[in-house]
Amino acid sequence: MRVGVLGARGKVGSAVCRGVEEADGLELVAQVDVGDSIGALDAAGAQVAVDFTHPDAVMGNLQHCIEHGIHAVVGTTGFDDERLQTLRRWLADAPHVGVLVAPNFSIGAILMMRFAVLAAPHFESVEIVELHHPDKVDAPSGTARRTAQLVAAARREAGLPPVPDATTTSLDGARGADVDGIRVHGVRARGLVAHQEVLLGGPGETLTIRHDSLDRVSFVPGVLAGVRAVAGHPGLTVGLESYLGL
Ligand SMILES: NC(=O)C1=CN([C@@H]2O[C@H](COP(=O)(O)OP(=O)(O)OC[C@H]3O[C@@H](n4cnc5c(N)ncnc54)[C@H](OP(=O)(O)O)[C@@H]3O)[C@@H](O)[C@H]2O)C=CC1
Ligand SMILES: O=C(O)C1=N[C@H](C(=O)O)C[C@H](O)C1
């Protein structure tokens, strides 16, 4: 399978390029970064494009891929409902093309989200703390947003009331961002890569579910699994977990 990488000189993109080069049955045919033409994908006959670029760049890249019949595996963050709807509209005109958008490709993070969903109905309180390197441009992280949305849905389904919080006076930001009623806190510090805690609380106990990506190689096996599977999943898929049956 012929693979092109967008954001090829970036922190994750460069790890993905190495992963593709070392993988059986995959051929790295295009490496595109700022200043390069995205047309290099079509010129090289790429069948799948992997995007780890920037929230401001990813939609333009995906429009190009879909129009040129190139499947896409997307790690770049910044996807809200409106962007996902736009992708679905573009894909309706290209029914054979598959696009996978995954907020996190590491297996540990996917399981952390799954465990959080399992635990959510059993605890009165839940908050999320995401911790990242200070070069990250978006907050909260895509993973934290997705976790909060999934946890909120699990709580709703279980008929839980809103998370208790007696705060009536606070400094701006002191209680974090509100994502579907779940508080999400962001930490940025040199030395960190990508980390998240889901803190659940009930009478007399807390449960903390924590995941740490200590190296960006943690994302590569999931990306390669996405690359191998995306052509068999036409249309839009959100989250690698659907491909893994989780
Ligand atoms: N889903 C997941 O598992 C993960 C997702 N991410 C997400 O992936 C994205 C990239 O992260 P990271 O690698 O750390 O960031 P980096 O800034 O290290 O890499 C992004 C690269 O993309 C380049 N770039 C920007 N715009 C374009 C464009 N239009 N075409 C081609 N290349 C472009 C950047 O160039 P320049 O520096 O010159 O702007 C840079 O080289 C972020 O949104 C991040 O949140 C990160 C880790 C895991
Ligand atoms: O920017 C990063 O580094 C990461 N971005 C993704 C996110 O926003 O969730 C995935 C991971 O947390 C690393």
Side-chain angles (χ1 to χ4, degrees):
M1 183 167 287
R2 299 167 70 79
V3 182
V5 175
L6 301 166
R9 290 193 289 274
K11 290 185 283 298
V12 183
S14 54
V16 170
C17 286
R18 285 191 294 278
V20 171
E21 280 174 327
E22 289 165 11
D24 286 341
L26 302 184
E27 191 185 350
L28 183 63
V29 297
Q31 300 185 54
V32 178
D33 207 283
V34 162
D36 305 322
S37 164
I38 193 172
L41 289 178
D42 350 321
Q47 295 161 289
V48 179
V50 177
D51 191 302
F52 280 89
T53 58
H54 190 285
D56 294 343
V58 64
M59 290 302 280
N61 290 344
L62 291 178
Q63 188 168 22
H64 179 97
C65 289
I66 293 167
E67 281 174 5
H68 289 78
I70 301 170
H71 307 289
V73 171
V74 185
T76 306
T77 46
F79 283 89
D80 54 15
D81 286 344
E82 194 182 326
R83 282 187 170 204
L84 294 174
Q85 259 321 106
T86 301
L87 287 183
R88 287 190 189 95
R89 210 176 56 243
W90 292 343
L91 283 163
D93 295 330
H96 301 298
V97 176
V99 173
L100 168 65
V101 175
N104 203 308
F105 279 96
S106 90
I107 184 70
I110 292 166
L111 288 170
M112 176 255 303
M113 287 188 260
R114 184 87 190 100
F115 297 155
V117 167
L118 276 179
H122 303 287
F123 289 88
E124 192 180 332
S125 295
V126 56
E127 302 215 358
I128 295 171
V129 185
E130 55 95 334
L131 309 93
H132 281 82
H133 59 92
D135 304 316
K136 184 165 178 56
V137 296
D138 56 322
S141 71
T143 307
R145 276 179 185 239
R146 172 93 172 142
T147 312
Q149 288 163 347
L150 293 172
V151 162
R155 286 176 64 93
R156 267 196 308 275
E157 202 169 307
L160 261 61
V163 173
D165 180 2
T167 309
T168 51
T169 140
S170 66
L171 287 181
D172 273 0
R175 295 289 293 116
D178 181 332
V179 179
D180 285 4
I182 308 297
R183 292 283 160 184
V184 180
H185 310 268
V187 175
R188 298 290 175 265
R190 188 67 68 203
L192 295 176
V193 177
H195 318 259
Q196 181 168 300
E197 285 188 7
V198 182
L199 174 63
L200 301 116
E205 63 174 333
T206 63
L207 169 67
T208 303
I209 304 169
R210 179 172 173 120
H211 174 258
D212 297 275
S213 269
L214 305 170
D215 189 299
R216 290 177 179 85
V217 296
S218 60
F219 305 116
V220 175
V223 172
L224 298 183
V227 165
R228 293 183 197 283
V230 67
H233 294 81
L236 176 66
T237 304
V238 178
L240 182 64
E241 58 272 19
S242 344
Y243 285 14
L244 303 178
L246 279 170

